[in-house]
Amino acid sequence: MFALADCNNFYASCERLFAPHLEGRPVVVLSNNDGCVIARSNEAKAIGIPMGAPYFQIEKLIRRHGVVVFSSNYTLYGDLSRRVMAVLAGFAPRYEVYSIDECFLDLFALPFDLTDYSLRIVRTVKQWTGIPVSIGIAPTKTLAKLANRLAKKGQSPAGAVLDWSRLLSPEQALASIPVEDIWGIASRSGARLRELGITNALALRDADPKRLRSIFGVVMERIVLELRGTSCLSLEIAPPPQKQIMVSRSFGDRLSAQDDLRAAVASFAARACEKLRSRRLHAQALSVFLQTSPFDTSRPGYANSLTIPLEAPSQDSHLLIGLALRGLERLYLPGYAYQKAGVLLLDLVPSGVQQGSLFAPSGADTVRSASLMAVIDRINHSFGRQALRFGSEAVSAQWRMRALLKSPAYTTRWAELPRVRAT
DNA sequence: TCTGGGGTCCTAGGACCC
DNA sequence: TCTGGGGTCCTAGGACCC
C-alpha cells in the first residue's frame, strides 16, 4: 500500500505559520519576480483565483477581496519542507520524498489500521511543524494521488485521510475525476483523450491499454494499469543521480546592455557551480541561453542557446563562468529587450570518478582548483552567500528580481527570528 | 508595464557500427 | 535488374511534474 502525504496549500501554509492572524483569510504566494500565482489558500481558491494567473491580471480581484499576497520565500519553504519530511520519515520503514511538499510512504505490512495510523501522522505533523497535510492510501501511486485529491476536497468521512480500498463506490469516485486531473495527464494528452471520448478517470481505466500505448506511448499504458490497481511505479527510496543543474531567472526589468547580461550570466554560472560542488558532482558540458519575452508580440523576439563541451569534467567556477560568458558573447545580439537568461550544467558525473582528458593538463591544477573552490565555499557558508564572489558577477545588478512582498527568513537567519511575547 | 524555476522521461529519426 | 540484419548512440522536441 502506498500512502501519499501532501501538504495542504504548502507555500500559503508556510506563510501563515508565522502570521497566524492570516488564518481564515485568503492568501496567495507569487512566483519569482512576483510574476504568477503559484500557491493559494482555500479561501483564495474559493474567490476564484486560478493557479498560474499572472499577478497583474488579477490585481483588481485581489484588492477587492483583501487577499494577502506574498513574494516567494524558498528559503523558508525549503526549511519547513525538511522538517515535515523528517517527521514523516519516522512513520514508515521506507519512504520517497517526491517533491517539496509530497512524500510517498510505504505502509505495506504495517500491523495497524491504516486510516487510524494516517490520522495520527496528520496530527503529529501538524503539532510538530504547524503544517497541515492530507494523506491518500491506495495500492498504486496513481490511485494514492487520486485518494489524496479526494481527501483534500472533503470527500472522506475520515477527514484528512482517504483509503481507496474503503470507498463504497470506486467507480463513482473515478467517474467524478476529469481526465486532466490524473497524475501524468495534462492539457495536451487530456484534449486528445477527450477526442477519443475518454473524459474521466473511469473511462480511462476501462480503455484498452495496448491501444492507448500505440497512440500515446508507454506512459499512458502505465497510467491505465495503475488505475486498475496494477502497480507500475515503484517507491524510489534513493534518488537517481542528477543529470543536470539549471540556474535561470527572469529579470526585474528588461535588459539590453551586454554588460548587464554578462553580470547576470556570471552570477547564474557561479550559483550553478555552488550547487554542483555541494552535490559532489562535476560537469562535462555547459549550456547558456537567453531570450526576449515570449508574451511581447509588439516587437521582434529572439531566443537562442549554445552548448559547450568541456575538455575535462570540472567544478571550477572560474573556468565555467568564463565559458558561460564566452557563450553569451556568441549569442548576444544588440537591440533586443532581453527578459531572461540561464546557465545549465550538463553530463554530470560524481566527483572523484571522472574520466580524465588525454589532452587537458591535469594534476597540480585540479588540486589547486579544488582547494580554492573549497575555501570559497567555506567562507560563503560562514559569512553568507556572496560574501566572496567573482568580479564578473559584480559588474551590474540591473538584472535583480522583483520581490516586493517577501516574508522574513524566519527559521534560517538569526536576525529574522520571529519574536513571541507573553502577556 | 507587468506572465517562474528546475527538473525528468519518452520517442522518432539520423548516423553509425559490424 | 539485382543491394541484409541487428544493433547502439545521440539529439531535438514534446509532454509532463511540482
Side-chain angles (χ1 to χ4, degrees), chain A residues 44-84:
Chain A
K45 288 176 188 173
I47 288 169
I49 296 173
M51 185 66 169
Y55 181 40
F56 72 92
Q57 285 179 5
I58 54 163
E59 251 181 306
K60 264 189 195 161
L61 190 64
I62 277 179
R63 231 172 293 139
R64 190 159 67 236
H65 289 91
V67 179
V68 181
V69 182
F70 290 95
S71 304
S72 31
N73 184 347
Y74 290 105
T75 313
L76 177 67
Y77 313 148
D79 187 55
L80 292 175
S81 168
R82 196 179 48 74
R83 297 173 192 218
V84 169

Side-chain angles (χ1 to χ4, degrees), chain A residues 341-361:
Chain A
V343 171
L344 280 96
L345 302 179
L346 305 161
D347 298 341
L348 306 183
V349 289
S351 299
V353 301
Q354 332 85 10
Q355 175 70 49
S357 163
L358 196 54
F359 306 108

Side-chain angles (χ1 to χ4, degrees), chain A residues 178-246:
Chain A
V179 79
E180 294 83 1
D181 287 3
I182 300 168
W183 192 34
I185 299 174
S187 60
R188 289 163 210 249
S189 311
R192 290 172 61 202
L193 282 168
R194 281 175 186 278
E195 284 171 20
L196 300 173
I198 299 170
T199 60
N200 60 51
L202 182 64
L204 185 59
R205 185 198 74 175
D206 294 337
D208 176 12
K210 288 296 169 209
R211 172 161 175 260
L212 289 185
R213 178 177 184 146
S214 71
I215 301 172
F216 292 91
V218 67
V219 177
M220 190 65 78
E221 183 187 26
R222 283 202 285 248
I223 292 173
V224 175
L225 293 176
E226 285 247 320
L227 287 175
R228 295 179 177 194
T230 304
S231 179
C232 304
L233 306 168
S234 56
L235 207 65
E236 286 188 1
I237 298 162
Q242 195 172 5
K243 296 181 173 175
Q244 59 176 56
I245 289 174
M246 165 146 81

